[in-house]
Amino acid sequence: MSDNDNGDWKNTTIDAAEAASHPEVAAEVEQITHLRQTIDNIDMAVISLLAERFKTTAQVGVLKARAGFAPADYQREEYQIERLRRIAHEVGLDPEIAEKYREFVVTEAKSRHQRIADAGGDPGVLDIFA
Amino acid sequence: MSDNDNGDWKNTTIDAAEAASHPEVAAEVEQITHLRQTIDNIDMAVISLLAERFKTTAQVGVLKARAGFAPADYQREEYQIERLRRIAHEVGLDPEIAEKYREFVVTEAKSRHQRIADAGGDPGVLDIFA
């Protein structure tokens, strides 16, 4: 709901003030507030898992460098693509989103490496498809 | 390790066969295999959480539409940006990656909506920054 009642508004701040000034949507505001807490909890879990993931892929990068392995293991990449799509199907996620997630972590591993190097730091070993 | 020993190889398949043919790197192969299982477990958890996240944001989208709220709540977006950066800092993740994760879920919510519409299906209500 908004002061602009012609349906053209592009933005609504959904909070207690909105619920108080528009009591007819108070039930929706309450449910949205509840669902947002779930979303926030999911995000906290994902961010924590991503922290562990990047720590783990960094370790793999170090081991690969020590053994003389190339950063890329395309067989591993194919395995991950297929596996993530299968899991997505099982858990009810659009498989395209699972693939985008995989691309996201690969891209971010590279970007992070570059950011550290650009800042004059030691980026460590670059690893992709860990 | 690779048959190409001049250091220019771009790809290494790291598996039991590699360890068997290059016993000097067998220890690294074993550790990498172990770490990859951790990465795979993390990915399974993240994919499951993303499935729950998209189900939850879809519910928020329905509620917003029912109440006449706009899809975007920029105050919510600002809250999420700040919160995810703070959490990233706490858990030891590059805050830039946390922000990219947030952009990823927003972008994917839009892309998924478009894909379903393009395929002639009912994409439901588009929601961003749920």
Side-chain angles (χ1 to χ4, degrees):
Chain A
M1 200 59 59
S2 162
D3 291 331
N4 176 353
D5 275 341
N6 64 9
D8 286 341
W9 63 80
K10 300 292 187 206
N11 182 23
T12 311
T13 297
I14 304 168
D15 57 12
E18 182 76 8
S21 60
H22 296 277
E24 73 280 12
V25 295
E28 281 84 357
V29 170
E30 189 184 336
Q31 289 179 70
I32 289 171
T33 303
H34 186 72
L35 291 169
R36 281 178 169 179
Q37 190 167 56
T38 297
I39 293 166
D40 287 346
N41 291 347
I42 290 170
D43 284 342
M44 185 177 277
V46 171
I47 295 296
S48 301
L49 287 164
L50 288 177
E52 292 305 306
R53 195 187 197 283
F54 281 95
K55 285 199 295 187
T56 311
T57 55
Q59 288 180 66
V60 172
V62 169
L63 287 164
K64 281 183 183 170
R66 187 193 299 166
F69 294 139
D73 177 345
Y74 293 104
Q75 195 164 302
R76 167 75 173 159
E77 186 189 21
E78 281 174 36
Y79 167 80
Q80 288 178 312
I81 290 171
E82 192 177 350
R83 179 175 179 271
L84 291 183
R85 283 184 175 273
R86 179 173 49 76
I87 293 170
H89 191 75
E90 273 178 39
V91 302
L93 181 70
D94 184 335
E96 285 296 311
I97 297 179
E99 171 58 16
K100 289 287 171 57
Y101 160 73
R102 195 193 63 78
E103 291 169 12
F104 163 72
V105 289
V106 170
T107 302
E108 281 315 300
K110 290 185 197 167
S111 299
R112 179 173 175 280
H113 198 266
Q114 192 59 51
R115 276 198 300 276
I116 296 171
D118 289 348
D122 173 12
V125 178
L126 173 60
D127 191 72
I128 55 174
F129 319 140
Chain B
M1 197 61 57
S2 161
D3 290 332
N4 175 354
D5 275 342
N6 65 8
D8 286 341
W9 62 80
K10 300 291 188 209
N11 182 21
T12 311
T13 297
I14 304 169
D15 57 13
E18 182 75 7
S21 60
H22 297 277
E24 73 280 11
V25 294
E28 281 83 357
V29 170
E30 188 183 337
Q31 288 178 71
I32 290 171
T33 303
H34 186 72
L35 291 168
R36 282 178 168 179
Q37 190 167 57
T38 297
I39 293 166
D40 287 347
N41 290 347
I42 290 169
D43 284 342
M44 186 178 277
V46 171
I47 294 296
S48 301
L49 286 164
L50 287 178
E52 291 305 306
R53 195 188 198 283
F54 282 95
K55 284 199 297 187
T56 311
T57 55
Q59 289 179 65
V60 172
V62 169
L63 287 164
K64 281 183 184 169
R66 188 192 300 167
F69 294 139
D73 177 346
Y74 292 104
Q75 194 163 303
R76 167 75 174 161
E77 185 189 23
E78 280 176 36
Y79 167 79
Q80 287 178 313
I81 290 171
E82 193 177 349
R83 179 175 180 270
L84 291 183
R85 284 183 175 273
R86 178 172 51 73
I87 293 170
H89 191 74
E90 273 179 37
V91 302
L93 181 70
D94 185 336
E96 286 295 312
I97 297 179
E99 171 57 17
K100 289 288 170 55
Y101 160 72
R102 195 193 62 77
E103 291 169 10
F104 163 72
V105 289
V106 170
T107 302
E108 282 314 301
K110 291 184 197 167
S111 299
R112 178 172 175 279
H113 198 266
Q114 193 59 52
R115 276 198 300 276
I116 296 171
D118 289 348
D122 174 12
V125 178
L126 172 61
D127 191 70
I128 55 173
F129 320 141

